Amino acid sequence: MATVDVHGYVTRWNAGAVRLLGYPADEVVGRPAAALLAEPVAHDDVRRAVAGNPERWSGPLALRHRDGRRVDVTVVAHHGPPRGEAPDDAPDSWRVVCAPAGSEPRPEDEDLARWAFEQSPGCAVSLYDTQLRYRGSNRAMVPVVGLPDSAVRGLGILDITTQPQAVALSDALRRALESGEPVHLETFQRTGGERRIHAWSVDCAPLKDPDGTVHGVALVAHDTTEQFWARKRLVLLNEAAGRIGSTLDLSRTARELLEVAVPEFADFASVDLLTALEADIEPDEGELSGSVVLRRIAHRFDPGTRLPTVLEIGTTDSYPEFAPPARALATAAGVLCNAEDPEFVHWMGVDRRRAAIIRDQGYHSMMAVPLRARGVTLGVAVFYRRSRADRMERFGQDDLLLAEELAARAAVAIDNARRYTRERENALSLQHSLLPQHVPEQVAMEAASRYVPASTRSGIGGDWFDLIPLSGARIALVVGDVVGHGIHATATMGRLRTAVRTLSDVDLPPDELLTSLDDLVVRLSSEAGATGEVGEIGATCCYAIYDPVSRTCTMASAGHPPPVIVPPRGTPEAARIPIGAPLGIGGLPFEATAVELAEGSLVALFSNGLIETRDRDVDEGYARLCQVLARAGPSLEDACDAVLADLVTGRPRDDVALVIARSRALGDDNIATWEIPSDPSAVATARKAVSQRLSEWGASELIYPAELIVSELVTNAIRYGAPPITMRLIRDQVLICEISDASSTAPHLRRARDWEEGGRGLMLVAQMAHRWGTRHGLTGKTIWAEMLLPEAAPGPGGRPSPRAQD
């Protein structure tokens, strides 16, 4: 061995170099290494050789002995410092090692080769002749065969073993013998009398003489069981990454964990979650040290078997604090346990029913792994294994690490599902509280409604509907849709629904109401953007008012699908109304359209989630809705169910709101109208007319309060209003008295002073009436007051009033 620095000078020269070339070290060190060459070496050849592997170079060289003779050697040169020196001492030196060319093996080398063959511990080798008869093997192969060489020598492989893999091995040996090329295969086979199956990497190599004639075949087998199971664990982890957590359903996520683990990893597995989580309580680690209550949400057996289980899905149980699952919860670490371990024996002694089931099913090894995510313990996953010929019998530490990794992945997905479920339930509760709890009974319309929340993947939407009783026996129908999903959309929906009810209470017509609502949405968007919240709030809305006296329905839309109208004996069609801009655009007008409805007509209002889906456009949705409504019977509840059954499949991607109403009409016998002259003497005439009509309607008990109310309202109209003045009585579920005049000035309730002679009229009206108010029209205003009908008084059409029915 010698070392050569970067400049080509010899820096080291050992005793072997002295024996090879005869030069003592003091004659060589410090001299150019090229002086030792017997013939020059082309510089380009060396450069090309070194370029192939800059860390090492090898090749033949001719050196000159000290006595002048030529010495042929094979050189191996390593780039780096000499052995025993620090890397920084000579970083660019080459360490050159060489031996005389043509060195022959020594006789003792054959013994070494034979001993290596016989004693190789990690390589099992057996030899076969050209007839594929067994001729011998090394020591590592004897346990695999299970018999000594003397018992099987001269036999074929199919005579030695009856395992299923023997046919594949025999075929591989024959192909190697006939082709003269090595044959590789992966196989599984038991070792000797073991029950456990090992994985083997097998090479069948033909044995040739120098002339290439095949004289036999060597079967070389490497036990790759550990590597095989390591690969299986990696495959299992990869599968878990793709399958666990595919949905936000808590139970489904637990089942996905078990589908990955059983049967590839375990024969039975279960997932139990802490019941405290159901009350939204996240226990601290110290609270898990004793016996805790868990609920079984999933378990899985090896497919094809269905055996008794200790705990059914949905039921609760608790583990004693010394049991492996309880210890896993308390320590927040996995626990590996075998059937003969003292703690397992103790557990089985306490829980005899569990012990009987485990014993009968042959489970002998288990692991309990806590499900933890974001520092919170959610529950425990338990894995059991029993004896099987195609798998390692007992769980090991590698299996415990794998189980912990699977549990960690599942825990994050379960926690995501739990948190999402909690938020969704909160949003649903909020949404439910903001929507009408029942459809109010009205004389103007009979109505039914449905609301279908969006799927869990889409999230809760902002659709809403409402039916609002108005003055004059009228009713308002509303359907709206806030853009987006989630709790923010639900909260916005609640604010808009409240705003619609407030604006309806002042009897704004549909176009003016939508204008006011549009201003509100613009203001909400501006406020949200200023505070850093989600801005650009958008919504659509359809608002309709139906008057049973005139049988007219006045509608306006802000970017919302128009309603479908079904005449009693006609063809359903979408209402022909102008569609304004969605709410939140600002500055654009809305237009109202009045449609006369025949008594018994159906009016269907809905959100776009009903008619528009990913697989169906709006026109097709309208066509199908009209087809269903054309077949609608007398029951509106059945009509709603039929519409949803036909147009909504499963859980929709968007919320669906639906209101179907059937129009009614108030007959002339329930309405009385008078023209009032603008003369104070007309007050007495008005009182007399009201008294006479109430007597005809069988509501004599209301004569006194009605006369008082009429007297005050007619007097105000004559004194402060403008002609023409009209008085109207409507017998609905209540008695309605309306006084209309051409003035737009609204009266205001005030408290009169003791010394004032007037100012008490509206106070008396407010005391005598059940409700009262003012609504404005195009040509003036109407002051209205409602009085409850006596319990025995008949309602419209001779029916008892609702209070009498109650």
Side-chain angles (χ1 to χ4, degrees):
M1 187 273 291
T3 59
V4 181
D5 65 14
V6 68
H7 301 293
Y9 287 89
V10 178
T11 58
R12 293 287 180 91
W13 188 261
N14 74 349
V18 175
R19 290 194 301 271
L20 180 66
L21 296 181
Y23 293 102
D26 57 356
E27 295 182 9
V28 177
V29 173
R31 298 179 57 194
L36 300 175
L37 297 176
E39 58 187 28
V41 178
H43 210 55
D44 292 340
D45 293 343
V46 176
R47 183 183 295 109
R48 283 193 299 269
V50 173
N53 185 356
E55 299 299 326
R56 189 180 68 175
W57 177 84
S58 64
L61 282 179
L63 303 179
R64 181 69 62 189
H65 196 274
R66 190 168 185 269
D67 60 10
R69 57 186 172 87
R70 174 187 175 115
V71 179
D72 292 314
V73 297
T74 300
V75 172
V76 179
H78 299 273
H79 191 199
R83 285 177 297 180
E85 293 187 6
D88 295 335
D89 291 344
D92 294 325
S93 297
W94 284 85
R95 180 164 57 91
V96 182
V97 182
C98 60
S103 300
E104 294 295 332
R106 296 174 294 179
E108 57 269 24
D109 291 346
E110 294 184 4
D111 294 332
L112 293 176
R114 185 178 68 256
W115 295 335
F117 168 76
E118 293 177 352
Q119 301 174 22
S120 177
C123 182
V125 182
S126 59
L127 305 176
Y128 296 84
D129 60 19
T130 55
Q131 301 299 315
L132 296 183
R133 291 174 299 199
Y134 180 84
R135 303 308 304 167
S137 64
N138 64 356
R139 295 178 184 176
M141 182 61 79
V142 174
V144 179
V145 176
L147 296 171
D149 282 357
S150 60
V152 296
R153 185 174 287 113
L155 301 178
I157 191 170
L158 295 178
D159 300 321
I160 298 173
T161 178
T162 58
Q163 294 194 43
Q165 297 78 12
V167 175
L169 292 174
S170 177
D171 181 67
L173 289 170
R174 186 168 301 281
R175 283 188 286 124
L177 180 67
E178 294 174 353
S179 66
E181 299 295 332
V183 176
H184 178 79
L185 75 157
E186 302 285 339
T187 186
F188 301 89
Q189 184 170 326
R190 295 185 183 89
T191 300
E194 286 190 17
R195 179 174 176 79
R196 170 190 173 189
I197 284 185
H198 290 243
W200 297 94
S201 175
V202 179
D203 290 283
C204 297
L207 303 177
K208 304 177 183 179
D209 61 16
D211 297 331
T213 302
V214 177
H215 292 274
V217 182
L219 187 152
V220 183
H222 296 270
D223 190 343
T224 59
T225 303
E226 297 302 327
Q227 297 90 325
F228 171 78
W229 285 110
R231 291 196 301 269
K232 291 281 285 185
R233 295 184 185 101
L234 290 176
V235 170
L236 207 62
L237 282 176
N238 183 65
E239 184 181 2
R243 293 183 61 179
I244 298 176
S246 63
T247 68
L248 287 172
D249 180 85
L250 191 145
S251 298
R252 177 59 190 161
T253 302
R255 291 196 298 271
E256 289 171 345
L257 166 63
L258 303 186
E259 288 169 0
V260 170
V262 179
E264 292 296 328
F265 182 63
D267 296 297
F268 173 80
S270 63
V271 173
D272 301 337
L273 296 186
L274 297 170
T275 56
L277 299 176
E278 300 171 5
D280 206 19
I281 299 174
E282 297 179 351
D284 297 330
E285 292 186 10
E287 300 176 12
L288 300 175
S289 57
S291 178
V292 294
V293 180
L294 301 103
R295 186 181 304 278
R296 174 69 50 85
I297 64 168
H299 59 226
R300 180 176 172 86
F301 291 89
D302 187 352
T305 62
R306 182 62 176 92
L307 302 171
T309 183
V310 177
L311 198 62
E312 293 298 332
I313 295 176
T315 56
T316 59
D317 195 9
S318 60
Y319 296 102
E321 59 181 352
F322 54 81
R327 288 207 302 118
L329 290 172
T331 61
V335 176
L336 173 62
C337 191
N338 293 316
E340 65 274 10
D341 293 345
E343 62 175 355
F344 190 85
V345 174
H346 184 198
W347 181 28
M348 294 300 99
V350 173
D351 193 342
R352 297 190 179 277
R353 179 172 176 270
R354 188 187 303 270
I357 292 177
I358 290 177
R359 182 179 60 254
D360 293 342
Q361 297 178 13
Y363 299 122
H364 53 69
S365 185
M366 72 163 292
M367 293 184 299
V369 182
L371 298 171
R372 287 180 54 82
R374 302 176 178 92
V376 177
T377 300
L378 308 175
V380 63
V382 181
F383 305 88
Y384 285 91
R385 182 177 284 181
R386 58 185 176 185
S387 297
R388 271 174 46 177
D390 60 343
R391 186 173 55 207
M392 298 175 66
E393 289 196 0
R394 297 182 180 275
F395 287 121
Q397 288 299 321
D398 290 339
D399 295 314
L400 182 60
L401 293 176
L402 174 60
E404 290 176 338
E405 178 64 24
L406 293 176
R409 293 174 183 264
V412 172
I414 288 175
D415 191 51
N416 289 340
R418 180 181 68 92
R419 292 171 182 266
Y420 174 80
T421 300
R422 180 179 60 192
E423 295 301 323
R424 178 176 171 80
E425 289 176 351
N426 291 339
L428 280 174
S429 299
L430 174 62
Q431 188 181 54
H432 181 72
S433 67
L434 296 176
L435 290 174
Q437 304 305 306
H438 66 280
V439 177
E441 183 179 353
Q442 296 290 320
V443 172
M445 278 187 160
E446 174 193 2
S449 62
R450 293 290 186 274
Y451 187 88
V452 182
S455 65
T456 56
R457 187 178 296 274
S458 301
I460 300 301
D463 294 15
W464 89 92
F465 68 92
D466 214 343
L467 290 90
I468 307 171
L470 302 178
S471 63
R474 299 169 305 147
I475 187 172
L477 306 175
V478 191
V479 171
D481 182 3
V482 176
V483 176
H485 294 84
I487 196 72
H488 180 76
T490 302
T492 303
M493 175 269 286
R495 300 171 77 175
L496 295 185
R497 178 173 180 258
T498 301
V500 169
R501 278 191 161 264
T502 302
L503 295 172
S504 297
D505 196 50
V506 297
D507 272 312
L508 289 180
D511 52 343
E512 294 184 19
L513 183 142
L514 291 181
T515 300
S516 299
L517 197 62
D518 183 47
D519 294 339
L520 173 63
V521 173
V522 170
R523 187 164 63 252
L524 290 177
S525 297
S526 177
E527 293 174 356
T531 58
E533 300 177 2
V534 179
E536 297 298 328
I537 296 173
T540 64
C541 182
C542 182
Y543 185 81
I545 296 177
Y546 175 67
D547 187 347
V549 177
S550 62
R551 299 196 305 276
T552 58
C553 185
T554 306
M555 297 173 280
S557 172
H560 202 83
V564 172
I565 299 177
V566 187
R569 286 173 295 278
T571 303
E573 63 176 355
R576 298 177 182 178
I577 61 174
I579 306 298
L583 301 174
I585 300 299
L588 298 176
F590 299 97
E591 185 176 347
T593 302
V595 179
E596 186 174 347
L597 299 180
E599 185 176 4
S601 297
L602 292 183
V603 180
L605 288 83
F606 45 85
S607 59
N608 64 341
L610 179 69
I611 59 173
E612 185 179 8
T613 65
R614 178 176 294 181
D615 304 322
R616 182 178 64 230
D617 60 21
V618 174
D619 293 337
E620 182 184 353
Y622 262 110
R624 290 180 59 175
L625 176 59
C626 290
Q627 292 174 4
V628 177
L629 292 177
R631 303 189 299 266
S635 172
L636 296 184
E637 298 290 340
D638 293 344
C640 288
D641 292 338
V643 169
L644 294 183
D646 189 271
L647 277 78
V648 179
T649 303
R651 297 296 294 273
R653 296 181 61 86
D654 195 7
D655 290 15
V656 173
L658 171 66
V659 177
I660 301 179
R662 178 178 285 115
S663 65
R664 292 170 176 165
L666 281 175
D668 294 339
D669 57 340
N670 293 305
I671 304 170
T673 306
W674 298 271
E675 297 293 332
I676 306 297
S678 185
D679 186 343
S681 63
V683 177
T685 304
R687 287 200 301 265
K688 183 177 180 180
V690 169
S691 176
Q692 182 178 352
R693 182 51 61 96
L694 290 181
S695 296
E696 294 174 359
W697 283 348
S700 301
E701 297 180 12
L702 293 180
I703 291 177
Y704 174 73
E707 285 183 339
L708 182 60
I709 290 173
V710 167
S711 178
E712 295 296 335
L713 296 182
V714 171
T715 299
N716 286 344
I718 293 173
R719 181 176 298 178
Y720 305 109
I725 301 173
T726 303
M727 181 176 69
R728 183 170 70 168
L729 288 182
I730 300 174
R731 183 176 58 164
D732 186 13
Q733 294 176 327
V734 294
L735 178 66
I736 304 171
C737 177
E738 296 181 344
I739 307 297
S740 303
D741 67 83
S743 172
S744 60
T745 303
H748 296 283
L749 182 66
R750 69 184 186 89
R751 184 178 298 277
R753 304 299 181 182
D754 293 342
W755 61 86
E756 292 181 312
E757 295 182 359
R760 296 175 177 83
L762 287 182
M763 179 66 73
L764 293 175
V765 172
Q767 294 298 317
M768 292 295 179
H770 175 61
R771 289 196 315 151
W772 75 281
T774 305
R775 68 173 181 269
H776 291 269
L778 296 176
T779 58
K781 68 178 181 298
T782 298
I783 312 298
W784 56 270
E786 294 180 356
M787 290 166 282
L788 298 176
L789 289 170
E791 295 186 0
R799 298 188 303 272
S801 69
R803 294 185 66 223
Q805 293 176 356
D806 292 342

